[in-house]
Amino acid sequence: MRLRPLRIHARAIRRIALTSLGIAVFTLVQAQETQPLINATFEGVVLDAATRDPLVGATLQLEGITHTTKTDRQGHFRFITGQKLPVTVFVSYIGYATEEVVVTEAKVAIELERSATGLGEVVVTSRRRRELLQHVPIPVSVVAGALAEESGAFNVNRLKELVPTVQLYSSNPRNTALSIRGLGTTFGLTNDGIDPGVGFYVDGVYYARPAATTLDFIDVEQIEVLRGPQGTLFGKNTVAGAFNVTTRRPSFTSEGRAELSYGNYGYIQAKASVSGPLNDHLAARLSFSGTQRDGMLYNVATQQRLNDLNNLGVRGQLLYAPSENWKVLISGDASRQRPTGYAQVIAGVAPTQRPAYRQFAQIIADLGYELPSRDAFDRLIDHDTPWRSGQDLGGVSANVDVKVGPGTLTATTAWRYWNWMPSNDRDFTGLQGLALSQAPSRHEQWSQEVRWAGDLSPKVSAVVGLFAFGQSLHADSAHTEESGRNQWRFSQNSESELWQTPGLLEGYGIKTYPSLQTFSGAVFAQVDWKITPTLRLLPGIRLNYDQKEVDFRRETYGGLQTDDPALLAIKNTVYAAQAFQADIDNTNVSGQVTLAYEPSDKVNTFATFSTGYRPVGLNLGGLPRENGQTMLELAVIKPEHVQHYEVGVKAQPTRNVSLGLTLFNTEVKDYQAQVQSADLSVNRGYLANAEHIRVNGIEADANARLGSFFSVYASLAYTNGKYVKFTNAPPPLEEVGGPTFKDISGGKLPGISEWATSFGGEASTHTTHLFGQEGEFIFALDGFYRSSFSSSASPSTYLIVNGYTLINGRVGFRTAKGVSLFVWGRNVFDTDYFEQLLPAGGSAGHYAGVLGDPRTYGATIRYAF
């Protein structure tokens, strides 16, 4: 069947956008010859305020533009810039408080004071320019790379423990959901036909596949988490927020780091990076990360540990900087994961509304089977199908920054790939229910962004950009799901003896061939108008165009070859062929307006209204059936429209204390929900539109430095998410066997804890010496709590994850240069907790859990020069 496209003929817009993109790129090339109107040169030295010793490798960043430099071995730096003095410079160095310095003379000495590492005053690039977090009228959480490394947050899943509004759920890398404030990627098993609602960017490059968030961070400088729609600042439309990850750049001062960690469960992690000049204008950086750990589950059937870690990653960068007026950064990275996982363990059994013979307990009794354990936290399984979650991800990119007039023109060009090689046991037992469940995939993407950020006048600054993105996703070579010898008993829907026909369903399966091609183009702009010295207006707009082509084909194979209509009818109730094609165009205009009032440098208040948009979705996981007929009307899912309101205040009553409070309300029409079906043909779930949802809440955060040697931080989030109207949802697990659809209006949205908090602190000593090195002893504690949440698209009594608290700690000796040593523990009280619950394919009543890690501990040694 071919679905007629729901077109708004926008190909002309596409051509205009691409033409404008070409003009912008041409302008960028020409701009390399532009000479600054004013050539202000200044230099100086950065010193420790207490000892007056030079700080080697301190970072200096000019306010409002991308230009940075670092101090040499004598602590010296030099800037050549097109700006007129005075200029504002942000100076930062690990273990020291960031300073905002106004440079008025050609030579300057800058002193930094020691400070414990925390989530305090930092420089961010959230608005495509460098500025202090305190002055940004956006709710942004920032985690420095040093804190992420020391706290063991080496990927997004662990980073969520530091930012309570972030949720990440992953039953394997492909089936990963990244959300902010409960919105973003649809909760549940992944459907490739929709766009993520949370943008994930690394050095300005958009990563389209959520699987990227499961990879280890490689040499990260800083992670910024922006909350709320961000379409007027970032290339790809992001209706829920964005992760803006910045890696460490090549340095014209030679530097290097090497780190090795050992822990229980055979944990080994090695990291290394080296950077330095190749000549006066060319610098390079090479970074490596590798992680291994034994599995946390034990398969009693194969006597093998599962869910291990086996990750490798490398990143290389070249920076060409002939002057402070333009720079070119070429990057390439590759990451590889080869875990034996991600296996899930049966967490419980729900009674359904099916007849007694279709209940899980009766099924396994008839098959003479018993689970290896009824306690999920015994971490025992007996799965008979191998678990694999292999993935390769990488790419190349080029970032060009050119000073054009009073701002900077940036062009980001990138190509990326993702290869996925899985094997799953989706019946979660040692029985041969589902013998195979595999969705091997190959993905490629390209993106081009050109934007200008700068000052139009003393009172007006702006960001203007063009964005183009394309991707292709294909099966490699087919997605396969196949029944085993016991599937007849799981699928049996009558007491007919024909179900026991030898070989009827054994080896009977489906091969799916999904093919997806997408293109996105956008023009976006945001203006910052300083109406008065204390009042600013920030309007923004985005014109978005999306085009998707899909060719979906599913074929049945295997099982007993027969012409008997009754036997064929049984086979057809388990699996059936499906096919559809679609070619869809959408255009959308969205935007935002923010009013910010700063009565002083210590208080910043803001109020924002914004709209967002997620483009049309296409079901690529299979369609449910009703009365034996495939529901082709669900092949195309309507776009998602967002209206968002928030008000916030940031305060810095003293230099060492910062506070933040944000209230928000988000309304989403035609919310793209991922729902589970009892139909085995859609084991991975399917997409449906919920007519209306609402998410609102309050966020508070505080940071304090108590003297020079103690810091604390805390973040608290209250989030309330519910379906305002969803009248045609699948029933929850315990109601399978009753009506096919259910009105769940008023029910809770999945994945949202009402309460979540992160808290922690660090204490350090005065500068001291150990083994002839100058450094400080530190003790740090981090905590994370989240209340219970629904783990099912349709609220279920059984699929509720209980709340839990995690405590992590570390103690050690830290140096800026030289050898640092830490002893650390994670989940030190050995709390048992689930990260996610999910029903087995076919909804027989049993459901599995993704288990959180037990207590882990170890030691890390680091050397930096």
Side-chain angles (χ1 to χ4, degrees), residues 711-751:
S711 69
V712 293
Y713 73 90
S715 299
L716 176 67
Y718 169 78
T719 311
N720 177 39
K722 70 176 183 178
Y723 295 105
V724 177
K725 185 178 182 182
F726 193 2
T727 57
N728 206 32
L733 180 61
E734 62 268 29
E735 296 180 30
V736 168
T740 305
F741 295 99
K742 181 182 181 180
D743 185 345
I744 61 171
S745 302
K748 289 187 176 181
L749 287 172

Side-chain angles (χ1 to χ4, degrees), residues 233-453:
L233 286 172
F234 283 82
K236 195 72 173 72
N237 203 21
T238 54
V239 297
F243 271 70
N244 185 28
V245 180
T246 305
T247 65
R248 296 186 177 99
R249 300 297 177 90
S251 170
F252 284 94
T253 301
S254 296
E255 62 180 34
R257 298 159 55 91
E259 178 182 299
L260 186 63
S261 299
Y262 284 93
N264 59 337
Y265 295 99
Y267 176 79
I268 302 175
Q269 185 176 72
K271 297 180 180 180
S273 66
V274 61
S275 183
L278 301 180
N279 59 40
D280 290 344
H281 302 298
L282 187 66
R285 189 176 197 95
L286 183 64
S287 308
F288 165 84
S289 175
T291 306
Q292 289 190 345
R293 190 198 65 191
D294 295 339
M296 296 295 192
L297 299 184
Y298 184 72
N299 190 324
V300 298
T302 63
Q303 298 185 3
Q304 179 187 23
R305 288 202 168 272
L306 299 182
N307 293 11
D308 60 338
L309 296 177
N310 188 354
N311 307 337
L312 290 174
V314 63
R315 175 185 295 274
Q317 297 174 303
L318 284 174
L319 176 63
Y320 178 58
S323 75
E324 288 297 327
N325 294 320
W326 69 286
K327 298 180 180 180
V328 180
L329 179 69
I330 306 296
S331 302
D333 67 277
S335 294
R336 169 190 171 104
Q337 286 187 338
R338 292 294 185 272
T340 305
Y342 290 37
Q344 291 103 52
V345 57
I346 289 183
V349 179
T352 70
Q353 293 185 16
R354 287 171 169 170
Y357 75 90
R358 299 196 67 187
Q359 302 298 321
F360 179 74
Q362 188 61 54
I363 292 171
I364 64 172
D366 290 349
L367 294 172
Y369 171 78
E370 182 52 67
L371 295 169
S373 174
R374 293 279 178 167
D375 183 351
F377 294 101
D378 286 343
R379 300 179 185 269
L380 299 177
I381 61 174
D382 62 349
H383 301 174
D384 55 324
T385 300
W387 285 88
R388 293 190 303 270
S389 296
Q391 67 169 337
D392 296 327
L393 187 146
V396 293
S397 64
N399 276 281
V400 182
D401 292 318
V402 182
K403 186 73 169 63
V404 176
T408 300
L409 188 67
T410 300
T412 303
T413 306
W415 171 83
R416 299 200 61 78
Y417 67 90
W418 173 64
N419 299 328
W420 171 236
M421 299 150 279
S423 174
N424 309 292
D425 193 331
R426 286 292 181 196
D427 58 52
F428 306 128
T429 71
L431 294 168
Q432 274 282 310
L434 289 174
L436 294 177
S437 179
Q438 304 172 355
S441 304
R442 289 189 178 273
H443 169 270
E444 291 187 62
Q445 68 171 74
W446 62 268
S447 59
Q448 176 67 64
E449 182 173 349
V450 179
R451 70 178 181 275
W452 181 87

Side-chain angles (χ1 to χ4, degrees), residues 79 110-111 117 129 141 248 260 388 526 661 714 783 833 842:
F79 262 118
I110 300 171
E111 297 181 356
T117 302
R129 53 195 295 138
S141 299
R248 296 186 177 99
L260 186 63
R388 293 190 303 270
Q526 184 168 303
L661 181 68
Y833 67 101

Side-chain angles (χ1 to χ4, degrees), residues 125 146 208 225 256 279 361 370 400 420 470 481 508 512 551 640 673 701 724 732 743 795 824 864:
T125 59
V225 182
N279 59 40
E370 182 52 67
V400 182
W420 171 236
E481 190 171 299
Y508 179 55
T512 304
D551 186 349
E640 193 175 280
D701 59 82
V724 177
D743 185 345
W824 47 264

Side-chain angles (χ1 to χ4, degrees), residues 157 160-161 163-169 177 179 182 187 716-717 719 749-759 783-791 801-806 833-836:
N157 194 35
K160 70 184 182 185
E161 298 173 13
V163 185
T165 52
V166 172
Q167 300 93 27
L168 185 139
Y169 310 97
S179 300
F187 184 90
L716 176 67
T719 311
L749 287 172
I752 298 179
S753 296
E754 284 195 350
W755 293 99
T757 181
S758 300
F759 53 90
F784 172 67
Y785 165 77
R786 66 177 303 181
S787 61
S788 62
F789 63 90
S790 168
S791 191
V801 174
N802 294 327
Y804 58 88
T805 301
L806 302 178
Y833 67 101
F834 292 108
E835 293 196 343
Q836 187 179 355

Side-chain angles (χ1 to χ4, degrees), residues 107 198 241 303 320 352 384 388 407 529 554 570-571 677 805:
K107 290 190 176 183
V198 174
Q303 298 185 3
Y320 178 58
T352 70
D384 55 324
R388 293 190 303 270
W529 174 29
R554 169 169 290 173
I570 289 177
K571 292 179 70 175
S677 170
T805 301

Side-chain angles (χ1 to χ4, degrees), residues 177-188:
L178 176 62
S179 300
I180 296 175
R181 295 172 170 170
L183 297 173
T185 309
T186 53
F187 184 90

